[in-house]
Amino acid sequence: MIHVKSAIEIVSMRNACRLAAEVLKETGKNVQIGITTKELENIANKKIKSLGAKSAFFGYRDYPGIICTSVNEVIIHGIPSYRKLNDGDIIGIDVGVVYEGFCGDTAKTFAVGKISENTEKFLKISELSLNKALDNCFAGQRIGDVSSVIQKTAEENGFSVVRDFVGHGIGRNLHEDPQIPNRGKAGIGVRIPESCCLAIEVMINEGTWQVELLSDNWTVITADKKLSAHFEHTVLVKKGGVEILTVC
Ligand code: MF3
Ligand code: CO
Ligand code: CO
């Protein structure tokens, strides 16, 4: 069931999402050659605490991290570790917070030092696919209308979309209905109601769409070890379009 938010709930969603965006911004500022993903997690943790919020990820289905840090071939759910970032790496940082009983969820993939021209194009197209999905999301649209533009944008540029993980509704719970796949057909799927909140997330692979799960049971990597990028915003769906909530 898709939960439609009341005016009061929307106020709290805005607050929670703004804080998630602030944490992502602060953490992203610290991405640099030589830093470990654990150090980035510590920075995020401090910021979350200083804002009076809580991590929405820590302890969720026993996830052991405060944030997710997904380097290069890691698609999502990278657990912060003593892995150091190298020149030319990319890192997806995913932040979820709970505040006033509501969740905000946002992710962005950052360049470390100087990345190649190909990698730069890859990140640009991945972010574009999220932006196009946001442009195509408004009350009355179907899920397939959003999913299909993600797939089209990625594939027409020679990249692939992840099939095994999806975007999601969000509210009091991190993951609510509906699911928002990265692939689909326009005109297909359930209609998106006004005043629902969605975490639209694109997971784009440079090579194959196929994934592998590491033995930690969290880290998802590309089967061919090529790069993967992750961009995510939590939005409020309105008549004419979305209000992006994870901004600051
Ligand atoms: N943030 C992820 C998402 O965008 C979910 C993280 S799973 C967790 O949906 F266990 F790490 F919380
Ligand atoms: Co997320
Ligand atoms: Co999400």
Side-chain angles (χ1 to χ4, degrees), residues 57 94 105-106 201 230 232:
F57 299 169
D94 193 344
D105 186 9
T106 183
E201 48 190 307
H230 186 204
E232 176 180 31

Side-chain angles (χ1 to χ4, degrees), residues 14 32 49 59 75 85 103 116 153 160 196 209-210 221 235:
R14 280 199 189 102
Q32 55 185 296
K49 280 198 178 140
I75 302 170
L85 299 183
C103 299
S116 72
T153 309
S160 66
C196 74
W209 59 270
Q210 281 158 307
I221 65 167
V235 304

Side-chain angles (χ1 to χ4, degrees), residues 28 36 42 53 69 75 100 208 213 215 221 225:
T36 66
N42 290 338
T69 51
I75 302 170
E100 296 175 353
T208 182
L213 182 65
S215 59
I221 65 167
K225 313 287 193 297

Side-chain angles (χ1 to χ4, degrees), residues 39-57:
E39 286 171 315
L40 290 173
E41 182 186 49
N42 290 338
I43 290 161
N45 193 25
K46 270 198 198 124
K47 187 72 179 174
I48 291 170
K49 280 198 178 140
S50 79
L51 295 169
K54 281 205 157 142
S55 167
F57 299 169

Side-chain angles (χ1 to χ4, degrees), residues 57 68 76-77 93-96 104-107 168 170 174-175 199-201 230-234:
F57 299 169
C68 301
I76 47 167
H77 302 167
I93 299 177
D94 193 344
V95 170
D105 186 9
T106 183
H168 49 94
I170 183 167
L174 178 62
H175 294 142
I200 300 182
E201 48 190 307
H230 186 204
F231 291 87
E232 176 180 31
H233 272 307
T234 299

